[in-house]
Amino acid sequence: QVQLVESGGGLVQAGGSLRLSCVVSGRTFYNYIMGWFRQAPGKEREFVAAISWSSISIYYADSVKGRFTISRDNAKNTGYLQMNSLKPDDTAVYYCALTSSGPYRDTRRYDYWGQGTQVTVSS
C-alpha cells in the first residue's frame, strides 16, 4: 500500500512563503517522478512542478516559475515544494503524486496521490 502524505499548507499573506512536504511510504520512492499539482475551487487540477528520480530533470508550470522550487530527498522518501512570493491566485489544495513515466504534466499518468494540503493566500 503506497501512501503519500502532504503537510505544510496554511494561511499566508501575499508575498509570503510556505514549504510543502510529501512523505512517501510503502514503495521505493527513488524509482518515481514526483509531481505537485493544485486544484482551486471550481477549477481542474493543474500541474505545478515535477522532478525526476535523480533530481536532474525539473519542470515548472509557467505560472510558478521563478517563485516555486521543487526538490526531493530520496534517503528520506520525501519531496518538497518551496513556495515564495505567494499570490492570491496560488490559493488551492496542493497534491503530490508519483508516476513511473511521463508525460509529467498529465494527471492521468500519475499512479499514486496524496490527500492534499490547503494553501490559502490572502491579499
Side-chain angles (χ1 to χ4, degrees), residues 6-12 18-21 36-41 83 86-96 114-122:
E6 302 98 335
S7 62
L11 173 64
V12 64
L18 285 173
R19 189 193 196 203
L20 305 183
S21 298
W36 286 92
F37 292 79
R38 65 186 182 186
Q39 188 166 18
M83 306 186 296
L86 283 161
K87 306 174 181 179
D89 284 349
D90 295 319
T91 295
V93 177
Y94 283 71
Y95 300 89
C96 61
Q115 82 291 346
T117 185
Q118 177 70 47
V119 171
T120 303
V121 184
S122 63

Side-chain angles (χ1 to χ4, degrees), residues 18-45:
L18 285 173
R19 189 193 196 203
L20 305 183
S21 298
C22 175
V23 179
V24 179
S25 61
R27 180 72 64 166
T28 305
F29 176 58
Y30 72 81
N31 286 333
Y32 290 86
I33 296 167
M34 168 169 273
W36 286 92
F37 292 79
R38 65 186 182 186
Q39 188 166 18
K43 294 187 176 182
E44 291 187 354
R45 192 168 298 188

Side-chain angles (χ1 to χ4, degrees), residues 2-17:
V2 179
Q3 283 194 317
L4 287 74
V5 179
E6 302 98 335
S7 62
L11 173 64
V12 64
Q13 288 189 331
S17 299

